[in-house]
Structures are given as C-alpha cells and as structure tokens.
Amino acid sequence: MTQSGFSGRRALLGGITGAMAMLGRGAVHAQAFPARAVRVIVPFPPGGAADVLTRLVSEPLSRELGQTIVIDNRVGSGGRIGTEAAARAIPDGYTILMGSQATNSINPELYRDNSFDPARDLVPVGLLGGVGSVIYVRHSLDVRSLQELLERARQRPQALTYGSAGIGSGSHLTTALLEAMAPIQMTHVPYRGTPAATTDIIAGRIDVMSDPITTALPHVLAGAVRALAVSTPQRHPALPDLPTVAEAGVPGYEAVSYYGFFAPSAVPAEPLARLRSACAKIIADPVIRARLEEQGIVRLGLNPEEFAAYVAADRQRWGRVIRDANITAN
C-alpha cells in the first residue's frame, strides 16, 4: 500500500474515532438528569397549604435543577387521586409529589379500598418541614379563648359546627383529636378543600376551624377570624400572644403536619440522588428557610431515611385516632 493509502486510512479512522467520541458525549449528555421539565403533582386545590408551599419553592428548585417546574393540581378524593397519579407515574424522576400528612399518613389508614400504598409505592425526596394549625372561630361568635369554646361545647354538645377540608383531612383529624382529649362534641361539616371551608367561616356559616398556619395567618392577621390557639408544642413566632392548645386547657395536645416531596419508588438511583441533592440545597438556603418560616413551616431536619421513619410513625398515630373516633370514608 502506498504512503498516500496509509494516510487516507489514518484520516478515515481518525474521522470515525472523532465521530464516535462525539456520539458518546452526546449520549452521556442525553442521559443527564434532568433534561426536561419536572412535574410536581399537588393533590389539593390551588390556595391550600400544599399548593402555597409548592409554589414558594418551585422557583428555587427550578434554578437548582436547571429545568422548569410544572405544577399539576390533581384534586379529588381527599388527595388520593393526585397521590395515585404520582405513585403510578413513569419512575424516571420527571414526576414527583408534594406529599403531606394527609396523603401519606392519614389516607392509607382512612380508606380501605386503596389500590396503592404510599409506603410501598413512593420514596421520600426531601422534607420541607412541619406546620401546625391555628384553631379559630368566626369573628361573630362570642368566644374569646379556647377555654370558653370548650365550655360552650360541653354545655351544648353538637351545637357548634366545625369545618374541614374533607372527611379524614388533617383539619378534620386535628379537631377530632381535640374533641377526644378535651373532651367535647361538635358537629363536623366537611368541605372539598380548605379554601371552601375558610370562605364559609369568614362568612359566618360555620363556627370553628382548625387551619394550617400557612393558610390561616393571612385571615388571622387581617382580623377576618378570631384565633384561639395553635396546635404546635411551642407558640408560633408570628402569633406570640396566642397560646398552644396544651397551654389553653388540653394538656398533651399536639398536632403537626409535614410537607415534603416524594417520587415513585422505582425511580433510578441517579435521578433520585439528583432530586434529593437539589431539595436539600434549597431547604438549607437561609433565604428559603426564612420564607418557609413566614408560612409557618418549622424545620424538622430529617434526611430522606429519617423522613421515611417519621412518616411511618405518624401514620400509626393517626391510624389510632381514626379508629378511636370511628371515622370512615368508604
């Protein structure tokens, strides 16, 4: 073979090698996560606590991941429709759930016809934190303290009405726990989500409500309702003069919900690690933490494995409340 032939072959081989290298780099790039928008399913209506918190962290999460965050409100069946949609999603990391005490602790104990189990079908990504509730009454009700409310309820069992986001919702169970521990009896009026219940108590159509601090604060600070106590172990910084339920006459009472991201349990290790890393960074950011605290979120400081254990213990606790109060949804 002539020298020119060898040169031509070397040039050809060099071109093929270069092309393969470029293809290899392209393949690696194509597999990098995330390569497109990430969808966050919120299984509750816009304006509720889960929706408010998701929108609060969506922009920093988008910056951290380098992709758009698409919020998908999948409403219905007390959060089960959206939760199941997340559990059944393609496990590629591009669909995650804004989960909560309602979706991952309460619903599995409340509904007997579940076709999925959050403990089996979802895996924790990141815990935003915990949030307590404010127990408040309609402004026109002549009650100025939790103790007065309890006395009124004892004098006239079932006369007072309390609203909730639905049967078995967090707002239902926190009040059911109060009824059991006080003990008192009121009449439950379930709604399809927190916003509808809030509208009616502000209008004076129901008497009492337990509302997550995240959504309760604007109404309390505006004077639209009268706050009586918070469900957390300590007083809330935004409402320093408001006692805890335990301080106000029901020793040992505590109700704190959690909010955090979950992914389908079969999601591969690389996307899961990327999602967890991004969540951990935004949760640790002082600016984001301050914004979450403004919404009533208290940092619980749990890694994903500890978060899973926390959810399991919380599920057991509310399962007992559901059984003791004989609460059924189907």
Side-chain angles (χ1 to χ4, degrees):
M1 183 177 290
T2 65
Q3 183 66 31
S4 60
F6 280 117
S7 299
R9 176 174 291 184
R10 281 198 299 269
L12 178 61
L13 289 173
I16 293 172
T17 302
M20 291 178 65
M22 290 179 67
L23 287 171
R25 285 195 295 271
V28 170
H29 178 73
Q31 293 172 358
F33 177 88
R36 53 186 169 83
V38 174
R39 177 177 60 145
V40 179
I41 294 179
V42 179
F44 296 104
D51 180 72
V52 169
L53 293 173
T54 302
R55 294 180 189 279
L56 189 152
V57 300
S58 62
E59 184 179 344
L61 184 59
S62 173
R63 288 197 304 268
E64 187 61 39
L65 290 173
Q67 292 291 341
T68 301
I69 299 297
V70 178
I71 298 174
D72 181 2
N73 292 89
R74 292 286 190 94
V75 182
S77 193
R80 286 197 301 164
I81 289 176
T83 307
E84 182 170 12
R88 302 294 187 220
I90 297 172
D92 54 8
Y94 287 100
T95 299
I96 60 177
L97 171 77
M98 169 54 82
S100 66
Q101 185 179 78
T103 60
N104 291 61
S105 294
I106 294 173
N107 283 349
E109 298 296 313
L110 180 68
Y111 293 93
R112 297 182 177 88
D113 63 348
N114 288 317
S115 61
F116 68 100
D117 186 340
R120 180 193 65 221
D121 299 324
L122 293 167
V123 61
V125 172
L127 173 62
L128 294 186
V131 61
S133 296
V134 179
I135 295 175
Y136 55 63
V137 297
R138 58 181 168 88
H139 207 274
S140 56
L141 188 69
D142 58 340
V143 165
R144 296 291 185 275
S145 69
L146 183 66
Q147 195 58 250
E148 286 185 21
L149 178 70
L150 299 181
E151 289 171 4
R152 175 78 62 88
R154 289 175 186 131
Q155 291 166 3
R156 301 180 59 193
Q158 304 288 352
L160 291 171
T161 57
Y162 73 92
S164 78
I167 294 175
S169 63
S171 50
H172 178 196
L173 293 186
T174 55
T175 313
L177 181 62
L178 177 67
E179 288 184 293
M181 294 182 68
I184 58 172
Q185 290 183 348
M186 299 187 291
T187 297
H188 179 215
V189 182
Y191 289 80
R192 303 183 81 176
T194 299
T198 304
T199 297
D200 267 13
I201 195 168
I202 291 175
R205 288 187 279 268
I206 54 175
D207 300 313
V208 187
M209 187 168 167
S210 175
D211 191 6
I213 292 173
T214 305
T215 47
L217 269 177
H219 308 301
V220 172
L221 296 177
V225 294
R226 182 178 300 113
L228 304 182
V230 291
S231 69
T232 45
Q234 293 84 31
R235 296 190 181 200
H236 193 272
L239 302 167
D241 297 327
L242 199 63
T244 67
V245 173
E247 289 175 327
V250 188
Y253 180 95
E254 176 186 333
V256 177
S257 181
Y258 58 83
Y259 289 90
F261 292 114
F262 295 81
S265 57
V267 66
E270 184 180 348
L272 180 60
R274 181 75 179 92
L275 289 168
R276 285 177 167 177
S277 173
C279 286
K281 285 183 179 179
I282 66 169
I283 292 167
D285 186 306
V287 175
I288 305 304
R289 284 253 48 90
R291 292 179 65 189
L292 288 171
E293 288 169 6
E294 288 173 0
Q295 297 296 327
I297 293 288
V298 177
R299 188 175 186 181
L300 298 178
L302 305 178
N303 64 35
E305 290 73 24
E306 293 166 335
F307 185 18
Y310 181 92
V311 171
D314 193 67
R315 177 171 169 173
Q316 289 184 348
R317 181 194 184 206
W318 290 107
R320 288 193 297 270
V321 173
I322 289 166
R323 290 188 292 274
D324 290 347
N326 195 31
I327 298 170
T328 58
N330 54 27

